[in-house]
């Protein structure tokens, strides 16, 4: 990694080749200057804020996720919300749900908690498992490496969404669903991270400073943590940025199929699934969760693409 | 080559075996009790014991797994009370919930998912390679940028959202296409294609953008190689160069990518099936989850896993066959 990063900073000679060639602040600056990535970051920050402040926001609106308002839907037509745009009003900022009349804004902001929470939680777990397995495989002996690599191959051979659907059948109902979702998605999706970490470790372990640490009698765990791990940060972050939207799609997909979070807990995928039968009389019910999902996914994808471009040593386009 | 082929097939078989052991173990050692579920509500302990032994669940898990494997090759008879249910040779278990062998369920649902996935794959390759070549040959920068934008948006677009939008626009608003219902290929090929057209497009759009980007990158790389320059120096037409020299070098990576993606497309197909109301393995799986029908869950998951493993093996073999530079290690 050292070599490629030095190449990235161009002709300016580093003061000391053993120190990190590029200060962390520079990467951050470049990322902020990348318009697409910056847009992504702004949207993500907003969404995270919405999720964190969900109780405050719904209190501000004066609604909650579960109260039904039968007086706001037209029972004669099967439950279409009364009023324009799915019943948008000063009291219900995004209108109400068909049939039940539950507040859509409240369900959307609480749904953000599930969608973002599950996606981020699953990503954190994936990185934890993937990096641990990858470093262990890269530093371990031939036997450990081949055993762990086969295990990695096996998880990559799983049709993960199908498998996750199946797993949902046998998890007891007493365990909180969002937790189950995050763990299942993570357990099925750490393979690629592990493969990346292993490859990186294999190339790092031949470096002189790692050899020096080993010769000085540092125990393997210390070598892994102090010498290998810092070298993994850049590629892993780049990859993790891509994992978040993938995990979000998995959660939305599972909830969409009806095996994700259980009602009345709202999640975007689940709202979308409920909305599919209503798109003719009440298109807002599809647009609201679908739009939120699309916007957030796009934001993460833009950010991930920006991170990749910024950290890519061959890239000189956005150099400050 | 033959040796490599044999090694690769054996490797795939080992992975399949491990996969089956893990899937079986996980689902049957899990916290849900299949016998209790099969027995239904108001089940007495005596009745439960009978159901347990008829399903073979009173034996140790390893024995159960071995008899599961045995049944795949030799079939199995399940006796529950007076009646005996026969499950013929490739037996992946018996669904007491729906009272039919799992293979029967797969037999009626797998063709639907396969039609969906394979058709979408063909369409996306066609669209992707075509669009990729167009961007290279026309050398228009906006085309290239547009392609990148589509890939980016496609990555952020869950396939069920694409499906929903297509359904609303083409079936509900414009009424150009009927709401899809599955018609078997053997019964009415035209109806089969007409009904699957929209689901194919939904699945293929995103994939096609990715292939287009890859085709573009590969073609540009091959165009700068020496043998292409030589061909050009001989005065060959641009068309001959592209079809005869460039595509040959650019295609192998695409083949591998496509074979690996087949598994991903299967997964997306499961999600779109529900959207379009097509009775594929995804619907079978979701309804099995609803009733905790473990044999169906295990059967469907394993079948999908097998498709995954075989597609990967096929990709490696095809790659080795197309590209003579690949070292068979």
């Amino acid at each position: 990694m050292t070599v490629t990063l030095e190449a990235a900073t161009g002709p300016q000679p580093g003061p000391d080749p053993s120190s990190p060639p590029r200060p962390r602040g520079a990467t951050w600056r470049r990322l902020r200057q990348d318009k697409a990535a910056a847009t992504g970051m702004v949207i993500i920050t907003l969404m995270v804020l919405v999720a964190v402040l969900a109780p405050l926001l719904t209190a501000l609106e004066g609604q909650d996720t579960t109260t039904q308002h039968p007086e706001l839907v037209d029972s004669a037509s099967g439950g279409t919300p009364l009023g324009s745009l799915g019943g948008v009003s000063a009291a219900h900022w995004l209108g109400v749900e068909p049939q039940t009349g539950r507040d859509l804004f409240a369900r959307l902001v609480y749904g953000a908690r599930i969608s973002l929470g599950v996606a981020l939680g699953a990503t954190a777990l994936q990185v934890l498992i993937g990096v641990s397995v990858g470093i262990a495989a890269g530093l371990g002996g031939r036997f450990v490496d081949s055993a762990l690599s086969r295990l990695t191959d096996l998880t990559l051979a799983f049709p993960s969404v199908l498998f996750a659907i199946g797993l949902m059948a046998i998890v007891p109902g007493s365990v909180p669903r969002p937790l189950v979702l995050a763990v299942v998605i993570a357990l099925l999706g750490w393979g690629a991270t592990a493969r990346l970490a292993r490859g990186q470790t294999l190339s790092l372990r031949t470096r002189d400073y790692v050899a020096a640490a080993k010769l000085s009698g540092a125990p393997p765990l210390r070598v892994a943590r102090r010498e290998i791990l810092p070298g993994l940060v850049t590629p892993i972050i780049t990859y993790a940025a891509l994992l978040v939207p993938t995990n979000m799609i998995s959660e939305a997909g599972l909830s969409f199929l009806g095996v994700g979070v259980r009602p009345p807990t709202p999640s975007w995928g689940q709202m979308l699934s409920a909305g599919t039968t209503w798109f003719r009389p009440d298109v807002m019910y599809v647009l609201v969760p679908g739009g939120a999902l699309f916007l957030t996914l796009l934001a993460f994808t833009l950010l991930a693409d920006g991170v990749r471009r910024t950290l890519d040593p061959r890239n000189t386009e956005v150099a400050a | 080559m033959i040796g490599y082929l044999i090694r690769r097939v054996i490797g795939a078989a080992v992975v399949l075996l491990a996969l089956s052991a893990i899937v079986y173990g996980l689902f049957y050692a899990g916290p849900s009790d299949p016998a209790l579920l099969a027995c239904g509500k108001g089940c007495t302990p005596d009745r439960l014991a009978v159901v347990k032994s008829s399903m073979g669940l009173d034996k140790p898990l390893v024995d159960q797994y071995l008899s599961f494997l045995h049944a795949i090759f030799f079939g199995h008879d399940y006796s529950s009370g007076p009646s005996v249910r026969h499950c013929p040779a490739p037996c992946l278990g018996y669904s007491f919930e729906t009272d039919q062998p799992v293979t029967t369920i797969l037999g009626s649902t797998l063709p639907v998912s396969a039609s969906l996935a394979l058709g979408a794959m063909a369409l996306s390759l066609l669209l992707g390679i075509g669009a990729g070549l167009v961007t290279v040959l026309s050398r228009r920068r906006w085309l290239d940028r547009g392609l990148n934008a589509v890939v980016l948006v496609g990555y952020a677009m869950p396939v069920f959202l694409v499906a929903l939008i297509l359904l609303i626009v083409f079936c509900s608003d414009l009424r150009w296409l009927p709401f899809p219902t599955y018609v078997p290929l053997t019964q009415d090929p035209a109806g089969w294609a007409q009904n699957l057209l929209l689901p194919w497009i939904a699945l293929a759009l995103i994939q096609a953008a990715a292939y287009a980007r890859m085709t573009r990158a590969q073609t540009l790389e091959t165009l700068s190689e020496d043998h292409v320059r030589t061909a050009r120096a001989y005065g060959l037409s641009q068309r001959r160069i592209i079809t005869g020299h460039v595509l040959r070098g650019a295609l192998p990576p695409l083949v591998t990518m496509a074979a690996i993606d087949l598994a991903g497309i299967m997964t997306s197909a499961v999600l779109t099936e529900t959207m379009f109301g097509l009775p594929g393995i995804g619907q079978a799986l979701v309804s099995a989850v609803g009733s905790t029908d473990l044999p169906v869950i295990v059967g469907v998951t394993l079948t999908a896993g097998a498709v995954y493993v075989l597609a990967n093996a096929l990709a490696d073999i095809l790659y080795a066959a197309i590209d003579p530079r690949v070292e068979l290690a």
Side-chain angles (χ1 to χ4, degrees), chain B residues 240-301:
Chain B
R240 283 283 302 277
I241 291 173
I242 294 286
T243 52
H245 295 264
V246 175
L247 275 184
R248 232 188 121 179
L251 280 186
L254 255 142
V255 169
T256 332
M257 197 170 149
I260 293 170
D261 285 343
L262 185 64
I265 284 206
M266 276 302 256
T267 307
S268 307
V270 165
L271 285 167
T272 28
E273 270 166 23
T274 334
M275 199 64 248
F276 291 112
L278 298 170
I281 56 167
Q283 289 219 331
L285 186 61
V286 171
S287 75
V289 168
S291 55
T292 329
D293 194 349
L294 284 186
V296 176
I297 298 175
V298 169
V300 170
T301 323

Side-chain angles (χ1 to χ4, degrees), chain A residues 178-242:
Chain A
L179 184 69
V180 176
L181 281 168
V183 170
V184 164
I185 293 172
L187 283 183
L188 294 170
W190 54 266
T193 318
R195 206 175 251 187
L196 183 69
R198 174 181 172 270
Q200 204 65 32
T201 308
L202 282 181
S203 98
L204 287 177
R205 66 182 282 186
T206 58
R207 298 286 157 79
D208 286 347
Y209 67 88
V210 179
K214 271 192 197 152
L215 284 176
S216 70
L221 259 180
R222 195 189 146 85
V223 173
R225 212 180 61 238
R226 297 290 297 271
E227 316 298 339
I228 303 288
L229 201 55
L232 291 180
V233 171
T234 307
I236 294 294
I237 284 184
T238 315
Y239 192 69
L242 273 174

Side-chain angles (χ1 to χ4, degrees), chain B:
Chain B
M1 186 67 201
I2 301 282
Y4 173 74
L5 205 81
I6 294 171
R7 269 201 307 281
R8 198 65 190 77
V9 169
I10 291 176
V14 170
V15 172
L16 269 180
L17 197 67
L19 193 71
S20 72
I22 291 175
V23 169
Y24 192 89
L26 209 59
F27 283 110
Y28 278 93
S32 66
D33 187 347
L36 195 65
L37 287 158
C39 188
K41 279 188 183 121
C43 188
T44 60
D46 289 349
R47 174 96 185 100
L48 184 65
V50 171
V51 172
K52 246 195 172 121
S53 80
S54 78
M55 290 172 83
L57 291 170
D58 49 350
K59 295 190 207 105
L61 192 64
V62 177
D63 287 2
Q64 287 180 41
Y65 172 63
L66 289 178
S67 83
F68 173 77
L69 283 186
H70 185 267
I72 293 180
F73 295 104
F74 303 105
H76 194 80
D77 284 327
Y78 294 90
S79 61
S80 82
S83 60
V84 173
R85 290 173 176 92
H86 180 63
C87 177
C91 174
L92 284 169
Y94 194 91
S95 163
F96 288 92
E97 200 68 38
T98 55
D99 202 25
Q100 52 186 335
V102 172
T103 34
T104 311
I105 297 176
L106 282 172
S108 67
T109 55
L110 203 56
V112 183
S113 299
S115 306
L116 193 53
L118 291 175
M121 175 58 81
L123 187 64
S124 63
L125 277 174
L126 213 67
L127 281 177
I129 295 177
L133 282 181
V134 166
T135 55
V136 171
L137 295 182
S138 75
R139 293 172 199 276
R140 296 261 154 75
R141 199 157 161 73
W142 63 266
L143 260 177
D144 181 31
R145 288 192 170 212
L147 200 63
N148 279 338
V150 171
V151 171
L152 216 62
V153 169
Y155 197 80
M157 206 68 166
V159 66
F160 47 87
L161 207 57
V162 180
L164 185 64
I165 293 171
L166 288 177
L167 259 182
I168 294 179
V169 173
F170 290 104
C171 297
S172 182
D173 284 354
L174 297 174
R175 291 174 198 272
W176 286 359
L177 287 164
F179 280 94
T181 47
Y182 183 69
V183 182
L185 173 65
T186 46
Q187 221 176 64
D188 173 13
W192 174 77
Q194 199 198 3
N195 276 293
L196 282 172
L197 188 60
L198 206 60
W200 281 340
I201 294 173
L203 280 175
L205 271 185
I206 293 169
Q207 210 69 41
Y211 290 148
R213 196 148 82 156
M214 181 139 176
T215 305
R216 187 178 120 53
Q218 290 290 338
T219 314
L220 281 179
E221 198 180 306
T222 322
L223 270 176
S224 65
E225 270 173 31
D226 286 349
H227 69 269
V228 176
R229 200 186 52 194
T230 310
R232 209 160 256 160
Y234 274 120
L236 260 67
S237 69
Q238 176 78 349
R239 202 172 139 169
R240 283 283 302 277
I241 291 173
I242 294 286
T243 52
H245 295 264
V246 175
L247 275 184
R248 232 188 121 179
L251 280 186
L254 255 142
V255 169
T256 332
M257 197 170 149
I260 293 170
D261 285 343
L262 185 64
I265 284 206
M266 276 302 256
T267 307
S268 307
V270 165
L271 285 167
T272 28
E273 270 166 23
T274 334
M275 199 64 248
F276 291 112
L278 298 170
I281 56 167
Q283 289 219 331
L285 186 61
V286 171
S287 75
V289 168
S291 55
T292 329
D293 194 349
L294 284 186
V296 176
I297 298 175
V298 169
V300 170
T301 323
L302 266 184
T303 308
V307 171
Y308 225 106
V309 172
L310 293 179
N312 274 322
L314 195 68
D316 285 355
I317 292 167
L318 272 181
Y319 195 71
I322 295 178
D323 194 338
R325 289 169 302 185
V326 173
E327 278 186 37
L328 306 175

Side-chain angles (χ1 to χ4, degrees), chain A residues 43 47 50 81 85-86 88 93-98 102-116 248-249 251-253 255-256 261 265-279 282-298, chain B residues 156-158 160-162 164-165 168:
Chain A
I43 298 175
M47 286 296 176
V50 163
L85 289 174
V88 173
W93 296 348
L94 289 175
V96 293
E97 208 178 44
R102 290 183 293 197
D103 184 67
L104 218 50
F105 177 76
R107 294 186 69 74
L108 187 77
V109 295
Y110 271 95
R113 292 189 146 192
I114 304 287
S115 292
L116 286 172
M248 214 158 155
I249 291 182
E251 185 277 329
S255 294
F256 183 80
V261 291
T265 313
S267 125
W268 292 347
Q270 185 205 55
M271 290 168 77
L272 201 57
S273 144
T276 52
T277 50
W278 286 96
F279 66 79
D282 179 17
V283 78
M284 269 296 270
Y285 194 30
V286 178
L287 281 184
V288 166
L293 190 63
F294 174 69
L295 198 64
T296 315
L297 285 172
L298 188 65
Chain B
M157 206 68 166
F160 47 87
L161 207 57
V162 180
L164 185 64
I165 293 171
I168 294 179

Side-chain angles (χ1 to χ4, degrees), chain A residues 3-241:
Chain A
V3 176
T4 45
L5 278 180
E6 267 171 4
T9 47
Q12 61 180 84
D16 174 13
S18 66
S19 72
R22 191 201 284 167
R24 222 169 263 183
T27 308
W28 177 239
R29 232 187 350 264
R30 281 173 59 157
L31 199 56
R32 268 190 325 195
Q33 279 173 356
D34 187 317
K35 262 188 209 132
T39 316
M41 261 189 292
V42 169
I43 298 175
I44 292 167
T45 314
L46 272 176
M47 286 296 176
V48 170
L49 272 178
V50 163
V52 171
L53 300 177
L56 203 75
L57 287 169
T58 47
L60 207 66
E61 193 204 14
Q63 304 292 342
D64 62 63
T65 57
T66 49
T67 310
Q68 307 201 348
H69 300 277
E71 74 281 3
L72 291 174
V73 297
D74 180 17
S75 51
S77 74
T80 319
L82 294 165
S84 58
L85 289 174
V88 173
S89 65
H92 300 277
W93 296 348
L94 289 175
V96 293
E97 208 178 44
Q99 265 179 334
T100 59
R102 290 183 293 197
D103 184 67
L104 218 50
F105 177 76
R107 294 186 69 74
L108 187 77
V109 295
Y110 271 95
R113 292 189 146 192
I114 304 287
S115 292
L116 286 172
V118 170
L120 293 174
T123 307
L125 262 177
Q126 276 167 344
V127 167
L128 191 71
I129 303 174
V131 168
S132 310
V133 171
I135 292 184
L139 286 183
R142 244 182 97 180
F143 180 73
V144 177
D145 185 19
S146 83
L148 286 177
S149 295
R150 286 294 86 74
L151 186 70
T152 310
D153 288 349
L154 198 62
T155 68
L156 285 171
F158 272 134
S160 53
V161 168
L162 282 171
F163 201 68
I165 297 171
L167 276 180
M168 287 300 165
I170 58 163
V171 179
S174 53
V175 189
R177 272 290 152 142
L179 184 69
V180 176
L181 281 168
V183 170
V184 164
I185 293 172
L187 283 183
L188 294 170
W190 54 266
T193 318
R195 206 175 251 187
L196 183 69
R198 174 181 172 270
Q200 204 65 32
T201 308
L202 282 181
S203 98
L204 287 177
R205 66 182 282 186
T206 58
R207 298 286 157 79
D208 286 347
Y209 67 88
V210 179
K214 271 192 197 152
L215 284 176
S216 70
L221 259 180
R222 195 189 146 85
V223 173
R225 212 180 61 238
R226 297 290 297 271
E227 316 298 339
I228 303 288
L229 201 55
L232 291 180
V233 171
T234 307
I236 294 294
I237 284 184
T238 315
Y239 192 69

